Amino acid sequence: MPNTTKWTPHVLAILRIVTALLFLEHATMKFFQFPAAIPGVPYPLPAIMLVAGAIEIVTGLLITAGFYTRIAAFIASGEMAAAYWMAHAPQGFWPALNMGEAAIMFCFIFLYIAFAGPGSWALDNVLRSSTRQVSLTEGA
C-alpha cells in the first residue's frame, strides 16, 4: 500500500473548497435565484432565510479562500445543524425522507474542517507563515 499521507493536506483542501462552493450555491439560490429559485420558498424571503443566506455567503467565501477557516466552518456547521432540526427533522425521522441529508453532510464536513483546519492552499497558511516570520525577525 503506498503512503498517501503526503496528499492529506491537498485532499483536505479540495474537500474544503468543493464543500464551500456547494454551500455558496445555496446562498445564490436564496438571493439571486441562481441556478434556480428554491422550490416552495416565498419571495421576498422570510427573515430567517435572509439570515441563513447571509451566513452561507460569508462563511462560504471564507471557507473557500481558507481565511479564518476554523471559525467560519464552525459557524457554518452550527447553521446546518439548526437548519436540520428546524426545517427537516419536523418532517419525519429519516433524513432520506425529510430531505435533510445535505444539511447533515454539510454540518459534519464543516465540523471536521473546524477541527482539522483548512489543509493546503489556504490564506490561513499564508497569514500564519508571515506572522511567524515577523515574530522571528522581532526576536533577533
Side-chain angles (χ1 to χ4, degrees):
M1 183 80 174
N3 183 359
T4 59
T5 56
K6 69 179 181 179
W7 293 100
T8 301
H10 305 301
V11 174
L12 176 56
I14 292 168
L15 175 69
R16 169 182 54 83
I17 292 165
V18 169
T19 304
L21 289 173
L22 291 170
F23 196 57
L24 273 169
E25 186 178 29
H26 288 268
T28 63
M29 289 177 74
K30 286 178 181 76
F31 290 131
F32 309 119
Q33 299 175 2
F34 177 82
I38 300 172
V41 173
Y43 287 89
L45 289 172
I48 195 160
M49 295 289 277
L50 290 171
V51 171
I55 291 170
E56 289 162 6
I57 284 203
V58 171
T59 59
L61 290 171
L62 289 172
I63 296 166
T64 300
F67 189 62
Y68 291 104
T69 309
R70 291 177 189 260
I71 295 167
F74 188 76
I75 292 167
S77 175
E79 187 219 352
M80 286 292 95
Y84 180 78
W85 290 109
M86 292 173 70
H88 299 285
Q91 296 178 34
F93 178 76
W94 301 107
L97 300 178
N98 68 23
M99 306 302 287
E101 294 163 306
I104 293 170
M105 292 286 286
F106 279 126
C107 177
F108 282 95
I109 291 171
F110 287 138
L111 186 62
Y112 174 71
I113 292 169
F115 283 87
S120 57
W121 312 317
L123 291 176
D124 287 341
N125 299 332
V126 174
L127 293 175
R128 189 171 356 120
S129 68
S130 65
T131 303
R132 193 175 306 144
Q133 282 182 333
V134 169
S135 64
L136 290 174
T137 58
E138 288 175 354

